[in-house]
Amino acid sequence: MCGILAVFGCIDNSQAKRSRIIELSRRLRHRGPDWSGLHTHDDCYLAHQRLAIVDPTSGDQPLYNEDKTIIVTVNGEIYNHMELRDKLKSHQFRTGSDCEVIAHLYEEYGENFVDMLDGMFSFVLLDTRDKSFIAARDAIGITPLYMGWGLDGSVWFSSEMKALSDDCERFVSFLPGHIYSSKNGGLRRWYNPPWFSETIPSAPYDHLVLRKAFEKAVVKRLMTDVPFGVLLSGGLDSSLVAAVANRYLADTEAGRQWGSQLHTFCVGLKGSPDLKAAREVADYLGTRHHEFHFTVQEGIDALEEVIYHVETYDVTTIRASTPMFLMSRKIKSLGVKMVLSGEGSDEIFGGYLYFHKAPNKEEFHQETCRKIKALHLYDCLRANKSTSAWGVEARVPFLDKEFINVAMNIDPEWKMIRPDLGRIEKWVVRNAFDDDQNPYLPKHILYRQKEQFSDGVGYSWIDGLKDHASSLVSDSMLANASFVYPHNTPTTKEGYYYRTIFERYFPKIAARETVPGGPSVACSTAKAVEWDAAWSKNLDPSGRAALGVHAAAYEDKA
């Protein structure tokens, strides 16, 4: 991941303003410690903090077209850049960077090229010929992007809001799958897949089609010129990523460059469910496995830094971000700069335990659509910012554009959890990789019950967080929370504690409005809480709050 900052239309375009832009861009240096770049054109500034993954030697940014009239700063990876270069044979490329195609695509096709990109990205592009600019974010919002406005009429874009929060009067999270055009004004959605309308699909389930689509998604993400690995929790999703990457690595350029033995990484409290399962998967696959331990106190000590980097006060995001943040630091110490991760599967296939209570296939499908649309506020935000805090890039094959289209076109009747038919959560994925002739994983791993990351690292982690918050937040503080925090009022002492830290770093109203709210049980949307009357009494994002579903569920408080 890289850090981008762009400002357009500043009244002050003096050397002092340039120095200020450089200062703000440095707030993003953790995202891109390898190089810094800045291009100025009149009252326009495009700054970049680079994490070099593809073409480390010549791919510094900002990037340009041939005559440097078009300038672009990009955060992300374009996996189909070689195919796109074939369509741009009349253009001269200066670098081997996958992101340089964006400048030339704009020159060739204008603003309507974004859907041609296959990857994860946020970018800002300036056309100096008429001083127009565009900004765009990938389909799901895997990479972060914020947009802000200054009192002087300036328009700002940044990978993280910490670079906007002082100088912008207002700022918002840039919507995934959208493009902003200064010529046309405002945002418009460029990503318009069939599932977005939430109409119920009817395509039959074909396990081989699903399997091949996922294998393709994993293999294309092995595009790298630096050491890499897989985050392996031992759950279904990360285990499948590791199994597929392990199977095809030797035939890739990355395998030839860095060796065909896959590196895997896991974090947890000693004795946690994830550590045990991950070790078993790693032994089965024959990976070079790295196991990291942390204590509850080490996690608590990191909370302030985690909230500063992840830029949220959402309880479940902070619970899961902290071990991922600690693990990323260890990963970076090994010289690894890119990892594959399993985010997105639960949203696409209804993998969270509360989906057991989905009343019918229509509501099941609509909930998966809602969950995918909100990923940029939760799991994508966590995975990106927890790793980027230490200059590590996380890639998420389950959120491949083509794979999502295949998976979300399946008749949701096949995704429904049906114990009477032997179908547990995410059965369609498990079945797709259940190959007795050439097995990907051991059966009991393939059919292991869903364990949310913040639970799987060790149940005492969440319990320790609750106890710590209770020691710092009094009953009267929580009772008066609605007066102190009228927007998204915290309902628990843990939530109140996180909010106090967040507000210290990001005190503006605009900052708190970037964080979603509403009731949730086991990571559900507010709508899905209605599926079970008992859940409204036990609102907690842990998977153990899915009463009657999780093997280690909380006791029913009814």
Side-chain angles (χ1 to χ4, degrees), residues 163-181:
L164 305 182
S165 54
D166 291 345
D167 291 61
C168 291
E169 187 63 18
R170 178 165 166 73
F171 47 90
V172 296
S173 178
F174 195 100
L175 290 172
H178 280 69
I179 181 172
Y180 175 89
S181 167

Side-chain angles (χ1 to χ4, degrees), residues 14 59 120 128 183-184 191 217 235 258-260 268 272 334 385 402 492:
S14 65
M120 56 178 185
T128 62
K183 286 180 183 175
N184 300 319
Y191 179 57
W258 299 106
S260 58
S272 72
L334 295 173
K385 292 183 180 177
E402 186 179 334
T492 65

